[in-house]
Amino acid sequence: MESQGFQLVKKKKAARPRSKQVIQNMVSSPQHNKCECLDLPGPLMMCDSSTLIKTLEQYLLTTSGNLVLNDVDSLARVMEGGTVCGHQELKGDFVAPEQKWPFDGDEYRTERMPPYSEKADIWKIPPVCNFFLGNSDGARTLRYHLHSIHRRCREKEPHRRPTAHEVLWSYEALSWSYFRKKAEGNEEL
């Protein structure tokens, strides 16, 4: 798979593929580690992804089946030691455990929030994938084959979750196996 890079555009418009040229005018806010470019070293986190719906708004699915980045104005580069996204308490099952306020009974204060890593985004992969798969018989079969990697993504301890590369490898291996079996005339996975 060839990497094409992206040109960022204003919020709520699709990112357009561009050449491999390095993005000029990298903008970074030292206060939040938010950046407006994708050509930075180190892992990035999506800070606009506290609910499934909000996360799904970060992507566009074209009629040809391509997934396009959208609304990526709230990416945070994860510095050594982690980062904290935003200034409000995050709640709900979609949010990774480490993103939740750990001091029950105390009022939320950003400066007291323990930092977290890009593994918080890994936690969100299974519900996003399940949304795209839907509820068909084929989707149930795919979920069965993805169960192992998805279970690892939902580990409570961030260091036990797979890397994004491991998740991608699992998805690609399943895809390769599926299409190889289709080519051999075997419909079963």
Side-chain angles (χ1 to χ4, degrees):
M1 180 160 99
E2 184 176 319
S3 173
Q4 287 191 357
F6 290 88
Q7 174 184 355
L8 298 179
V9 293
K10 289 184 180 178
K11 190 172 183 170
K12 301 297 180 197
K13 291 189 179 180
R16 295 183 290 261
R18 63 163 176 80
S19 70
K20 201 64 175 140
Q21 139 190 10
V22 176
I23 294 176
Q24 299 293 318
N25 302 324
M26 294 185 340
V27 178
S28 180
S29 164
Q31 183 180 9
H32 304 299
N33 298 326
K34 290 186 180 175
C35 61
E36 293 184 29
C37 68
L38 299 176
D39 290 343
L40 290 173
L44 295 170
M45 254 185 102
M46 293 181 73
C47 286
D48 256 2
S49 62
S50 58
T51 68
L52 177 60
I53 298 303
K54 186 62 180 164
T55 301
L56 293 171
E57 289 175 355
Q58 308 302 308
Y59 305 97
L60 298 174
L61 189 59
T62 67
T63 55
S64 59
N66 293 317
L67 196 60
V68 180
L69 285 173
N70 178 48
D71 189 17
V72 289
D73 61 334
S74 288
L75 289 176
R77 180 170 37 165
V78 179
M79 308 299 253
E80 187 175 329
T83 193
V84 174
C85 291
H87 297 290
Q88 59 186 343
E89 184 176 356
L90 300 176
K91 298 178 181 180
D93 292 337
F94 189 73
V95 176
E98 65 271 21
Q99 290 182 287
K100 295 179 181 179
W101 181 241
F103 308 112
D104 288 337
D106 288 359
E107 184 178 332
Y108 180 84
R109 291 183 32 215
T110 305
E111 64 274 4
R112 286 191 59 210
M113 182 67 191
Y116 39 85
S117 74
E118 72 281 2
K119 295 287 185 136
D121 281 346
I122 300 297
W123 172 269
K124 300 166 187 171
I125 291 173
V128 171
C129 178
N130 288 335
F131 176 86
F132 281 115
L133 287 176
N135 293 316
S136 69
D137 289 338
R140 283 189 278 281
T141 301
L142 286 172
R143 276 192 194 87
Y144 171 79
H145 290 284
L146 292 169
H147 177 75
S148 177
I149 192 69
H150 282 180
R151 183 175 32 85
R152 289 183 57 214
C153 290
R154 298 295 277 196
E155 287 281 349
K156 298 280 187 208
E157 295 296 325
H159 70 276
R160 296 183 58 133
R161 293 181 204 141
T163 64
H165 181 76
E166 289 174 290
V167 175
L168 177 63
W169 184 88
S170 294
Y171 281 28
E172 287 178 339
L174 178 59
S175 175
W176 182 84
S177 173
Y178 175 78
F179 288 112
R180 181 188 57 140
K181 288 182 180 184
K182 283 280 243 192
E184 293 171 355
N186 182 357
E187 297 287 327
E188 294 291 318
L189 269 179

